[in-house]
C-alpha cells in the first residue's frame, strides 16, 4: 500500500485478464472475474449493461461497506474516527457551556451585590428603624432589572431584611458571612432556601468605613444551566450535520480508493506487487515510466544500466539526467515511438514508447529499451546518409538568400564547416564579383573562407591568387570535375602553387582537400576548396559526390547573383548619371544632400538645385513610383523637364501643372504601346523657390510629403503646404504657399523612403524625423547625418533623397532700387544713380556696360511698357540688373537690317551680359540681365 501511494500509481500495472486464482477470496463483490482490469485511476473497461455505471457504483459501495477490501476497511475506520470526534466535540461543548454559564452567574451575582451595597442610601437604610420597609422595594426592583433570582440585605448577624419571598424576611441567611464581615467578597455555590444556587455576599460600609450590613445576590442552578440546555438542540444538530458530511466525504474517499485498488484485499495487493517488482526488475529490458511533466517516475534496474542513470534519477526531469538531447526529447515529448534507434554513449538502443492514458489511465508514457549495439554500423551509415541529405536540404535553404555574390560564396563556406570540412574557401574571378563574364586568366580572388579556427595559414580573404597548371584547382578547371588530393604532403603539383605557404599548411595539420569548380552552364565562375585536418581519413568518394552537389547548387546562386549585380550596376550607373553630380554655385542657400539607392534595386527618387534669375534658387525633390530601369529613365525625363521649365521662370504651381501634363502623356504612350513590363508611371514632386532679397519661399507639391522647417532657435514644424494630386492624375490645380523664412532657417526636403517603410507608417516616420531634426546641429551636413543615423534601416527597401538648405539673406546694402517716371529724360538720372552705387560697391569697371544695359532696358520699358516702372540692381555672385513694368508684353531679340533705325537694343544687352531674360509676375514682367563680376587679383 505504501509503495502504491508513494509513487502515485506509477508502479501499478494492469492485472492480467482472465479468471482470478481460486485462492483469492478477498475479491470485491460485483467484479466480473473474466473482465480485464482497468489501468490505475481509470474507469472500468469491458462490457457493461445499459445501467452499468449505476450497477458499478452500487457494487463499489457494497464492497466498501463489506469491510473485506482495503477500501472497506478504510471506510469503517474513518467512520468510527469521525463518530468519536463528533461525540467528543459535543461533550466538550456542553461542559464548556455549563462552565461558562457558572462563571457568568458568579460574576453577575457579585456585580449586582456590589452595586446594590454601594448604592446611595443603602447604608443609611440599614441604620434606620425599619430597614425592610426601605430596602425591600429597592431590592425587588433591582432583582427584576438585573435578572437575578434574589437580592438579600442583612445585618451583620445574618438576619435578612429583604427576600423575594417575604416570609423569609427576619430569618437567618444561609451562607458564609465571615469573609464578607472581614471586608471581602464571597462567591459560592450552596443549597439555599430556594434550592441550589450561586450567590455572592459583599459588605455594606458606612461613611466611616465600618461594616453596617451585608448584601447577597444569587442565581439558582436551574437558571445557570438554562442557556446550555437551550443550546443543546443546536449543538446536536450541528454534530449530526458534521457527522453526515464527514461520512459522505469518507464514502467518496473510500470509493476513489476502491477504484484505485479495484476491490483488492491487503493480502492480494501485497502478493500482486511482490510479483510486479520481481518481474519488473528481473526482466532484461529497460522500462521507464515518465509523468506528463517529463518527470521520471520509475526506472527498473536494466534501464539504470543501459542509460547509466544516477541513483536519484526517479523524481527528476528526464532532461536533467545527462541523456543525449534526442533521447531526452523523445522521453519528455510524450509521443509514440516504435523501435526508434538512439545512440546513448556506447550503446545503440531501440526505444518503444506508448502513452498510459489511452485507456483512461493516468497521464504519462511507458518506454521500453532494448540494447541494439550490433546495429551500430548500419545506423552509422544511415546517420551519414541522413546528414548528407540534411546538408543538401540546408544548402537549398541557406545558400542564395541574397543577390550578393560575396555573401553567396560566404554562405557556401559557412555551410560546409564543420559539418563537411574543417576549412572551406571560395575563389572567384574578379570580373564575376563585379557582375561580368569570367575571363580566361587563372588569376582569382579569395572571396570567402570559413574554418574551425582562425589561424589557418591559407590565403586570406581578398588575396589575389594566380593558379599554376599543376594545382588541383587549375586541374579542376580543365576537367570540369572535382579533384581530390588525399595526402597534401605527397602532392608536388599542389605544393608548386606556393612552396612556403604549402609547407605551413601541411605543418598546421591540413592533410587533404577537394577542389570543385563552380560551373554555371558553360561558365566557370571560380573554384571551391574543402580542406580536412581533424579527421585523419581523406575524403572518400561519397564525400566527393556530396561536395560536387553542394558546389553545383551554390554555383547557380552565385551566377544569379552575378547577373543581378550586372543589371544592378547598369541601373545604378544610369540612375547616377541622371542625378546631379555637383550642385551649382549660388549664395542664397547653404545646401547639403544625401542620396541612398534602395538595396533591392534602383528607384526613381531625385532632387535638384536650380539657380534662377534675381539671385533666387529653386529646390526640387521628386519620386517616381516603382523600381528598375523604367523608373530611373522616367526620373531622368522629369528632371530634364524641370530644368527646361525652370528656365522659363514659371511659378511653382504652373511648373507642376506642366509636369502633370508630361506624366500623363508618358502614361498614354506606354498604354498605347501595350508594354506589359512597363507599369503606368506615377510620380510625386515638391518645388520650392527661395528669394534671398525678400526671404520668401514659395512652395507647391504634388502628392509629395510635406517639407520640414527648422527655425533658427531649433524648433521644428511641418508647414501646411497644400498636398495637390500626384503627377499624372490631371484635372486638378496645384496651390502654393509663401513662407517668410528668417535668415539661418533650414528647409528640409525628402522623399517618402525616409519616413515610410514596411514597419512604420508615415505618421510614425514624421515623428522620428521631427525628433532627429530637433537634436541636429546647425549645419546642413550635421542635419543630414543625424537624420539618416536615426531613421536609416540596415537595408532600405526604397530610395532616399534628402536635401537640407539653410537660408541666407542678401544684405540690404547690396540692393539698390529706383522708381522711374515714364519719361525718356529719366534715363539719364537712372544712369547717374547706378554709377554712384557701383562706385560705392567698388565695381567701377562695370559702370559703362551697366549704364548701357539699363539705358536700353529702361528705354524699352518707357516706350513699350506701362507705368509703374522700377529698376533694381543686386550685388550678388553676379551683378543683376532688373527693370519692372506692369505690361505683359515680352521683348524679342532680333537682327536689325542695315537700314533699320532700331531693334539693336536687346542685341547689345545679350552681347554685354552673361545671361538675360524675362520673368512674369502677377503685376507685370521683369526683364533682367546678369554680368560677371570683375576678377580681383
Amino acid at each position: 500500500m505504501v509503495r502504491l501511494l508513494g509513487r502515485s500509481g506509477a508502479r501499478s500495472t494492469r492485472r492480467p485478464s482472465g479468471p482470478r486464482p481460486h485462492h483469492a477470496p478477498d475479491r470485491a463483490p460485483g467484479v466480473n472475474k473474466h473482465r480485464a482490469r482497468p489501468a490505475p485511476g481509470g474507469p472500468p473497461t469491458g462490457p457493461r449493461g445499459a445501467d452499468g455505471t449505476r450497477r458499478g457504483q452500487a457494487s463499489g459501495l457494497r464492497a466498501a461497506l463489506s469491510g473485506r477490501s482495503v477500501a472497506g476497511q478504510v471506510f469503517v475506520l474513518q467512520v468510527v474516527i469521525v463518530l468519536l470526534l463528533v461525540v467528543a466535540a459535543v461533550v466538550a461543548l456542553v461542559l464548556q457551556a455549563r462552565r461558562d454559564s457558572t462563571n457568568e452567574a458568579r460574576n453577575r451575582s457579585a456585580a449586582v451585590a456590589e452595586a446594590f451595597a454601594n448604592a446611595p442610601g443603602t447604608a443609611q437604610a440599614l441604620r434606620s428603624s425599619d430597614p425592610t420597609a426601605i430596602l425591600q422595594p429597592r431590592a425587588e426592583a433591582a432583582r427584576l432589572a438585573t435578572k437575578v433570582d434574589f437580592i438579600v440585605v442583612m445585618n451583620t448577624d445574618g438576619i435578612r431584611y429583604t427576600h423575594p419571598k417575604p416570609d423569609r424576611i427576619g430569618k437567618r441567611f444561609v451562607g458564609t458571612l465571615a469573609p464578607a464581615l472581614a471586608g471581602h467578597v464571597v462567591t459560592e455555590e450552596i443549597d439555599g432556601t430556594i434550592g441550589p444556587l450561586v450567590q455572592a455576599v459583599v459588605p455594606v460600609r458606612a461613611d466611616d468605613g465600618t461594616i453596617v450590613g451585608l448584601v447577597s445576590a444569587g442565581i439558582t442552578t436551574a437558571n445557570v444551566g438554562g442557556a446550555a440546555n437551550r443550546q443543546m438542540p443546536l449543538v446536536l444538530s450541528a454534530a449530526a450535520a458534521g457527522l453526515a458530511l464527514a461520512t459522505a466525504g469518507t464514502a467518496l474517499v473510500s470509493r476513489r480508493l476502491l477504484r484505485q485498488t479495484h476491490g483488492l484485499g491487503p493480502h492480494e495487493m501485497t502478493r500482486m506487487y511482490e510479483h510486479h517488482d520481481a518481474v519488473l526488475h528481473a526482466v532484461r529490458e529497460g522500462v521507464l515510466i515518465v509523468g506528463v511533466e517529463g518527470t521520471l517516475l520509475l526506472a527498473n534496474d536494466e534501464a539504470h544500466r543501459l542509460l547509466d542513470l544516477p541513483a536519484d534519477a526517479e523524481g527528476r526531469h528526464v532532461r536533467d539526467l545527462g541523456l543525449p538531447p534526442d533521447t531526452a526529447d523523445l522521453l519528455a515529448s510524450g509521443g509514440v515511438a516504435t523501435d526508434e534507434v538512439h545512440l546513448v554513449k556506447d550503446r545503440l538502443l531501440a526505444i518503444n514508447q506508448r502513452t498510459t492514458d489511452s485507456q483512461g489511465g493516468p497521464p504519462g508514457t511507458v518506454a521500453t529499451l532494448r540494447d541494439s549495439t550490433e546495429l551500430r554500423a548500419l545506423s552509422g551509415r544511415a546517420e551519414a546518409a541522413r546528414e548528407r541529405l540534411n546538408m543538401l536540404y540546408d544548402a537549398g535553404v541557406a545558400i542564395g538568400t541574397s543577390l550578393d555574390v560575396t555573401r553567396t560564396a560566404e554562405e557556401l563556406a559557412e555551410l560546409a564547416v564543420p559539418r563537411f570540412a574543417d576549412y572551406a574557401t571560395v575563389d572567384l574571378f574578379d570580373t564575376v564579383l563585379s557582375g561580368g563574364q569570367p575571363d580566361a586568366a587563372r588569376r582569382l580572388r579569395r572571396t570567402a573562407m570559413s574554418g574551425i579556427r582562425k589561424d589557418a595559414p591559407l590565403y586570406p580573404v581578398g588575396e589575389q591568387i594566380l593558379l599554376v597548371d599543376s594545382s588541383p584547382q587549375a586541374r579542376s578547371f580543365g576537367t570540369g570535375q572535382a579533384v581530390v588530393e588525399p595526402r597534401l604532403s605527397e602532392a608536388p603539383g599542389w605544393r608548386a602553387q606556393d612552396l612556403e605557404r604549402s609547407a605551413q599548411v601541411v605543418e598546421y595539420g591540413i592533410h587533404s582537400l577537394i577542389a570543385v569548380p563552380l560551373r554555371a552552364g558553360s561558365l566557370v565562375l571560380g573554384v571551391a576548396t574543402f580542406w580536412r585536418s581533424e579527421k585523419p581519413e581523406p575524403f572518400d568518394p561519397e564525400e566527393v559526390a556530396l561536395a560536387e552537389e553542394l558546389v553545383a547548387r551554390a554555383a547557380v546562386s552565385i551566377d544569379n547573383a552575378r547577373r543581378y549585380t550586372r543589371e544592378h550596376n547598369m541601373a545604378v550607373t544610369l540612375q547616377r548619371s541622371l542625378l546631379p553630380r555637383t550642385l551649382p554655385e549660388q549664395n542664397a542657400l547653404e545646401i547639403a544632400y544625401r542620396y541612398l539607392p534602395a538595396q533591392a534595386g534602383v528607384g526613381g527618387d531625385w532632387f535638384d538645385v536650380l539657380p534662377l534669375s534675381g539671385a533666387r534658387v529653386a529646390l526640387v525633390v521628386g519620386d517616381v513610383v516603382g523600381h528598375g530601369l523604367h523608373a530611373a529613365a522616367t526620373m531622368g525625363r522629369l528632371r530634364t523637364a524641370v530644368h527646361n521649365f525652370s528656365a522659363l521662370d514659371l511659378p511653382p504651381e504652373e511648373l507642376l501643372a506642366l509636369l502633370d501634363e508630361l506624366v500623363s502623356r508618358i502614361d498614354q504612350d506606354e498604354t498605347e504601346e501595350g508594354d506589359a513590363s512597363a507599369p503606368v508611371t506615377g510620380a510625386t514632386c515638391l518645388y520650392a523657390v527661395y528669394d534671398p532679397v525678400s526671404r520668401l519661399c514659395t512652395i507647391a507639391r504634388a502628392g509629395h510629403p510635406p517639407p520640414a522647417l527648422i527655425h533658427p532657435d531649433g524648433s521644428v514644424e511641418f508647414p501646411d503646404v497644400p498636398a495637390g494630386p500626384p503627377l499624372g492624375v490631371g484635372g486638378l490645380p496645384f496651390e502654393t504657399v509663401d513662407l517668410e523664412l528668417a535668415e539661418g532657417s533650414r528647409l528640409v526636403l525628402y522623399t517618402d523612403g525616409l519616413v515610410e517603410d514596411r514597419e512604420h507608417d508615415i505618421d510614425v516616420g514624421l515623428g522620428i524625423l521631427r525628433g532627429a531634426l530637433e537634436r541636429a546641429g546647425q549645419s546642413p551636413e550635421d542635419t543630414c547625418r543625424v537624420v539618416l543615423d536615426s531613421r536609416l534601416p540596415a537595408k532600405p527597401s526604397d530610395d532616399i533623397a534628402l536635401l537640407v538648405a539653410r537660408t541666407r539673406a542678401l544684405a540690404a546694402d547690396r540692393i539698390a532700387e529706383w522708381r522711374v517716371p515714364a519719361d525718356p529724360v529719366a534715363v539719364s538720372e537712372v544712369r547717374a544713380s547706378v554709377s554712384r552705387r557701383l562706385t560705392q560697391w567698388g565695381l567701377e569697371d562695370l559702370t559703362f556696360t551697366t549704364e548701357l544695359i539699363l539705358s536700353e532696358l529702361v528705354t524699352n520699358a518707357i516706350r513699350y511698357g506701362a507705368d509703374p516702372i522700377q529698376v533694381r540692381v543686386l550685388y550678388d555672385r553676379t551683378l543683376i540688373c532688373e527693370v519692372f513694368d506692369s505690361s505683359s508684353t515680352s521683348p524679342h531679340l532680333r537682327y536689325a537690317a542695315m537700314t533699320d533705325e532700331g531693334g539693336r537694343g536687346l542685341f547689345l544687352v545679350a552681347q554685354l551680359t552673361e545671361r538675360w531674360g524675362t520673368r512674369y509676375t502677377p503685376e507685370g514682367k521683369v526683364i533682367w540681365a546678369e554680368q560677371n563680376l570683375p576678377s580681383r587679383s
Side-chain angles (χ1 to χ4, degrees):
M1 186 66 186
V2 173
R3 296 173 66 88
L4 173 66
L5 298 178
R7 296 197 179 180
S8 303
R11 301 181 68 96
S12 176
T13 58
R14 284 192 197 166
R15 300 190 53 205
S17 60
R20 299 266 306 276
H22 295 293
H23 59 274
D26 52 352
R27 179 181 308 281
V31 178
N32 187 351
K33 65 180 181 179
H34 295 289
R35 188 179 62 195
R37 294 197 177 274
T45 59
R48 61 173 66 183
D51 58 346
T53 302
R54 188 171 302 170
R55 288 207 303 268
Q57 294 175 352
S59 63
L61 182 59
R62 289 196 300 272
L65 295 176
S66 67
R68 295 159 61 185
S69 66
V70 172
Q73 294 173 6
V74 171
F75 174 75
V76 173
L77 177 61
Q78 289 183 339
V79 168
V80 171
I81 292 174
V82 170
L83 182 59
L84 292 176
L85 291 176
V86 170
V87 171
V90 170
V91 173
L93 286 174
V94 171
L95 294 178
Q96 183 65 34
R98 290 185 179 277
R99 180 182 176 187
D100 292 344
S101 299
T102 301
N103 289 337
E104 183 182 359
R106 288 174 174 267
N107 295 334
R108 188 190 301 177
S109 299
V112 171
E114 288 184 351
F116 196 87
N118 295 321
T122 303
Q124 289 81 359
L126 287 172
R127 290 181 175 179
S128 66
S129 59
D130 189 1
T132 299
I134 299 173
L135 297 174
Q136 176 67 11
R138 295 182 182 179
E140 286 302 304
R143 179 181 67 81
L144 296 176
T146 57
K147 296 182 181 180
V148 296
D149 290 331
F150 67 88
I151 296 178
V152 175
V153 183
M154 67 197 83
N155 60 15
T156 55
D157 295 329
I159 303 301
R160 300 186 184 98
Y161 290 142
T162 65
H163 197 278
K165 296 180 180 180
D167 58 343
R168 308 292 174 89
I169 296 175
K171 296 181 180 181
R172 187 173 181 81
F173 176 74
V174 179
T176 303
L177 302 180
L181 292 175
H184 301 291
V185 177
V186 180
T187 303
E188 57 185 349
E189 297 181 22
I190 63 170
D191 288 332
T193 57
I194 59 176
L197 52 83
V198 177
Q199 66 180 12
V201 181
V202 299
V204 179
R205 297 179 184 273
D207 294 338
D208 57 359
T210 59
I211 297 173
V212 296
L214 303 172
V215 176
S216 175
I219 302 175
T220 61
T221 303
N223 290 334
V224 170
N229 294 333
R230 288 190 299 271
Q231 295 175 358
M232 185 59 67
L234 180 60
V235 172
L236 293 177
S237 299
L243 178 60
L245 292 175
T247 303
T250 301
L252 292 176
V253 172
S254 298
R255 180 182 173 188
R256 180 61 182 269
L257 183 58
L258 177 66
R259 293 177 57 192
Q260 294 287 342
T261 60
H262 303 292
L264 299 178
H267 298 291
E268 186 176 7
M269 290 182 63
T270 301
R271 183 170 58 256
M272 182 185 71
Y273 282 109
E274 288 175 351
H275 295 168
H276 166 271
D277 287 346
V279 173
L280 183 64
H281 295 286
V283 68
R284 300 309 296 171
E285 187 171 283
V287 178
L288 298 174
I289 299 180
V290 182
V292 68
E293 299 294 336
T295 302
L296 180 62
L297 302 179
L298 181 143
N300 67 349
D301 297 340
E302 184 67 6
H304 274 272
R305 185 183 71 83
L306 294 176
L307 299 177
D308 194 17
L309 297 177
D312 59 344
E314 296 182 4
R316 295 170 58 183
H317 199 280
V318 293
R319 300 185 190 275
D320 300 332
L321 301 178
L323 300 176
D326 57 341
T327 305
D329 291 341
L330 173 62
L331 296 177
S333 66
V336 176
T338 301
D339 288 334
E340 191 168 311
V341 179
H342 288 255
L343 182 63
V344 180
K345 295 186 177 178
D346 58 343
R347 293 185 177 89
L348 206 62
L349 303 181
I351 301 178
N352 290 273
Q353 183 167 276
R354 296 292 185 273
T355 59
T356 58
D357 57 355
S358 59
Q359 299 295 331
T365 56
V366 175
T368 59
L369 315 173
R370 293 197 314 273
D371 192 353
S372 303
T373 309
E374 64 274 8
L375 300 177
R376 178 189 299 271
L378 178 60
S379 175
R381 289 194 295 271
E383 183 67 22
R386 185 176 67 177
E387 175 61 20
R388 290 167 185 169
L389 289 175
N390 288 339
M391 282 193 64
L392 293 177
Y393 171 78
D394 293 342
V397 175
I399 298 178
T401 59
S402 65
L403 291 174
D404 182 84
V405 175
T406 301
R407 180 56 194 155
T408 305
E410 291 173 349
E411 290 169 347
L412 171 60
E414 292 169 358
L415 176 69
V417 177
R419 299 168 63 179
F420 177 69
D422 299 320
Y423 299 91
T425 58
V426 179
D427 306 321
L428 300 176
F429 293 105
D430 283 336
T431 54
V432 173
L433 293 174
S434 60
Q437 294 276 0
D439 52 25
R442 295 291 176 87
R443 189 175 297 277
L444 302 173
R445 186 173 298 277
R446 178 62 45 89
T447 306
M449 183 174 70
S450 179
I452 56 176
R453 292 192 297 271
K454 301 296 184 182
D455 56 346
L458 301 172
Y459 287 116
V461 173
E463 183 86 5
Q464 269 201 342
I465 305 171
L466 180 61
L467 297 178
V468 299
D469 293 337
S470 62
S471 65
Q473 291 83 357
R475 284 185 284 141
S476 70
F477 286 159
T479 62
Q481 304 294 326
V483 174
V484 181
E485 285 290 355
R487 287 175 292 277
L488 295 179
S489 60
E490 303 174 4
W494 170 75
R495 297 173 68 90
Q497 175 69 43
D498 189 333
L499 294 177
E500 181 180 358
R501 188 176 294 273
S502 300
Q504 295 174 354
V505 170
V506 173
E507 183 180 357
Y508 186 77
I510 299 176
H511 57 79
S512 61
L513 66 81
I514 303 176
V516 186
L518 283 156
R519 299 180 60 89
S522 60
L523 298 179
V524 178
L525 308 175
V527 62
T529 308
F530 304 98
W531 314 76
R532 175 169 286 177
S533 63
E534 297 293 321
K535 190 176 179 181
E537 299 84 4
F539 290 101
D540 57 35
E542 292 183 355
E543 291 172 327
V544 173
L546 175 61
E548 290 179 332
E549 182 68 22
L550 286 176
V551 173
R553 297 191 179 198
V556 174
S557 298
I558 291 176
D559 188 52
N560 290 338
R562 177 190 67 85
R563 295 172 182 270
Y564 171 79
T565 301
R566 180 184 61 190
E567 300 297 331
H568 182 73
N569 290 341
M570 292 174 57
V572 170
T573 301
L574 172 62
Q575 181 189 42
R576 293 195 178 278
S577 67
L578 297 175
L579 290 172
R581 299 184 179 182
T582 59
L583 295 181
E585 296 181 353
Q586 44 81 33
N587 289 342
L589 297 169
E590 179 187 355
I591 296 176
Y593 66 92
R594 295 289 189 276
Y595 184 84
L596 300 174
Q599 188 72 17
V602 298
D605 292 15
W606 57 286
F607 66 93
D608 219 331
V609 178
L610 306 172
L612 303 178
S613 63
R616 297 171 304 134
V617 177
L619 303 176
V620 58
V621 174
D623 183 8
V624 177
V625 175
H627 294 83
L629 293 176
H630 177 74
T634 303
M635 176 266 289
R637 297 169 70 178
L638 291 181
R639 181 168 176 259
T640 302
V642 170
H643 270 267
N644 295 332
F645 295 153
S646 65
L648 301 176
D649 256 333
L650 297 175
E653 69 274 15
E654 295 183 14
L655 185 142
L656 291 182
L658 294 176
L659 283 181
D660 182 61
E661 294 180 6
L662 173 63
V663 173
S664 298
R665 287 197 301 271
I666 294 175
D667 291 344
Q668 292 175 2
D669 294 342
E670 291 174 351
T671 303
E672 291 175 359
E673 292 175 3
D675 186 2
S677 63
V680 175
T681 303
T684 64
C685 183
L686 186 147
Y687 190 82
V689 177
Y690 175 69
D691 186 352
V693 178
S694 62
R695 292 184 290 104
L696 284 179
C697 183
T698 304
I699 305 175
R701 62 187 178 113
H704 202 80
L709 178 61
I710 309 175
H711 295 282
D713 60 0
S715 61
V716 179
E717 70 167 317
F718 292 92
D720 186 13
V721 180
L727 298 177
V729 174
L732 295 175
F734 297 96
E735 300 181 40
T736 61
V737 64
D738 291 332
L739 303 177
E740 184 175 353
L741 305 181
E743 187 173 7
S745 301
R746 281 167 288 167
L747 191 65
V748 181
L749 310 182
Y750 52 90
T751 56
D752 59 354
L754 184 67
V755 294
E756 282 187 293
D757 55 33
R758 296 176 181 176
E759 299 179 358
H760 305 289
D761 58 17
I762 190 171
D763 293 333
V764 176
L766 290 176
I768 297 175
L769 176 61
R770 178 189 292 272
L773 296 177
E774 288 176 346
R775 61 177 183 272
Q778 291 294 323
S779 69
E781 283 291 337
D782 289 342
T783 305
C784 289
R785 177 182 54 80
V786 172
V787 168
L788 292 186
D789 289 346
S790 64
R791 187 68 180 99
L792 182 63
K795 294 183 178 181
S797 59
D798 194 7
D799 292 12
I800 295 177
L802 176 63
L803 189 66
V804 180
R806 184 164 64 180
T807 61
R808 298 168 178 162
L810 189 61
D813 59 355
R814 291 198 170 203
I815 304 172
E817 293 182 290
W818 297 276
R819 179 72 178 270
V820 180
D823 186 353
V825 178
V827 176
S828 60
E829 298 178 2
V830 171
R831 289 199 301 268
S833 299
V834 169
S835 177
R836 287 192 297 270
R837 180 54 62 93
L838 293 180
T839 302
Q840 294 176 4
W841 288 343
L843 301 177
E844 295 88 349
D845 295 343
L846 298 179
T847 301
F848 175 76
T849 57
T850 304
E851 289 180 352
L852 182 58
I853 292 169
L854 286 178
S855 295
E856 294 297 333
L857 296 181
V858 173
T859 300
N860 284 342
I862 295 173
R863 180 177 299 176
Y864 304 110
D867 214 27
I869 301 173
Q870 292 180 335
V871 174
R872 185 173 73 171
V873 180
L874 305 178
Y875 178 19
D876 192 37
R877 298 181 64 87
T878 59
L879 184 66
I880 304 170
C881 300
E882 296 180 340
V883 177
F884 167 82
D885 69 82
S886 58
S887 170
S888 60
T889 303
S890 176
H892 298 281
L893 179 66
R894 64 187 182 88
Y895 291 97
M898 293 295 294
T899 58
D900 291 341
E901 295 183 359
R904 297 176 179 83
L906 288 180
F907 181 80
L908 290 175
V909 170
Q911 296 298 316
L912 296 175
T913 61
E914 183 70 18
R915 294 191 309 158
W916 75 279
T918 304
R919 71 171 181 269
Y920 294 92
T921 67
E923 295 81 13
K925 68 176 184 295
V926 175
I927 302 177
W928 55 271
E930 291 186 8
Q931 303 176 74
N932 289 331
L933 299 180
S935 60
R936 301 178 183 274
S937 57

